[in-house]
Amino acid sequence: MQLDDLYRRVIMDHYKNPRNRGKFDEDTLTVDLNNPTCGDKISLQLRLENGVVQDAKFTGEGCSISMSSASMMTEAVKGRSVEEALDLADRFSSLMKGESVDFDDYEDIEALSGVNKFPARIKCATLAWNALRKGIE
C-alpha cells in the first residue's frame, strides 16, 4: 500500500468515525469559526483546568479535510498543557506550509501533510486548529 493511500484511509476514517464529536452538557469555553470560502463550520468546546486541556469536543459541518482535522486535533490536545497544545498548533501550521514536521506523539496528523499541495484546502485543514488557538489565547 502506498503512503498516499494510507493517508487517505486515515483521513476518511476520522471523517466517517469522528473522535470527540458532540457537545458538553456543562458550560465550557466555546469557539465558533467558519471558512467562508467553502462553507466549513466548526464549534469547538474546550474544558481547561489548571492550564491543561482536560477535554475537547467539536460539532460542525464541512469537507472531509476540515472534519477529520478537527477529529485529529481534539484527540491530540486532550491531556496536554495549553503550551503543548499551542505548540502542536504551531507544528501543524508548519506542516501546512510544506515543512517537515514530526508528530511522533500523534501520527494521524501526518496524514494531512498532502493538503499543502492544494492551497485552497489549507484553510479547511487549519479551521479547527485556528479555533483551538483562539480559544486558548
Side-chain angles (χ1 to χ4, degrees), residues 22-32 43-49 52-58 82 130-137:
K23 292 184 176 186
F24 293 114
D25 292 333
E26 69 273 3
D27 220 13
T28 56
L29 173 67
T30 302
V31 178
D32 297 313
S43 181
L44 176 66
Q45 291 187 311
L46 298 171
R47 192 165 4 146
L48 303 174
E49 293 176 19
V52 174
V53 180
Q54 295 295 324
D55 209 348
K57 288 189 179 274
F58 76 97
V82 293
N130 291 337
L132 171 71
R133 191 173 279 136
K134 184 176 179 181
I136 290 175
E137 294 173 347

Side-chain angles (χ1 to χ4, degrees), residues 30-133:
T30 302
V31 178
D32 297 313
L33 285 183
N34 69 353
N35 178 356
T37 308
C38 66
D40 293 342
K41 297 177 184 177
I42 187 170
S43 181
L44 176 66
Q45 291 187 311
L46 298 171
R47 192 165 4 146
L48 303 174
E49 293 176 19
N50 300 318
V52 174
V53 180
Q54 295 295 324
D55 209 348
K57 288 189 179 274
F58 76 97
T59 58
E61 54 189 53
C63 67
S64 60
I65 299 294
S66 68
M67 295 296 103
S68 62
S69 184
S71 173
M72 292 174 194
M73 183 274 296
T74 57
E75 280 287 286
V77 300
K78 285 197 298 186
R80 294 186 186 268
S81 70
V82 293
E83 292 83 10
E84 291 171 323
L86 288 173
D87 177 63
L88 273 174
D90 290 343
R91 287 168 41 203
F92 189 77
S93 287
S94 295
L95 183 71
M96 291 297 103
K97 293 175 187 170
E99 297 173 18
S100 178
V101 180
D102 191 15
F103 287 97
D104 281 340
D105 37 1
Y106 196 73
E107 294 177 353
D108 282 7
I109 294 171
E110 292 177 5
L112 293 167
S113 63
V115 171
N116 67 33
K117 297 174 189 157
F118 306 96
R121 304 305 298 268
I122 292 173
K123 287 183 180 181
C124 302
T126 57
L127 184 64
W129 295 90
N130 291 337
L132 171 71
R133 191 173 279 136

Side-chain angles (χ1 to χ4, degrees), residues 10-29:
V10 169
I11 291 168
M12 291 311 294
D13 179 52
H14 277 273
Y15 179 63
K16 292 178 180 179
N17 306 294
R19 284 60 153 183
N20 307 303
R21 188 169 182 93
K23 292 184 176 186
F24 293 114
D25 292 333
E26 69 273 3
D27 220 13
T28 56
L29 173 67

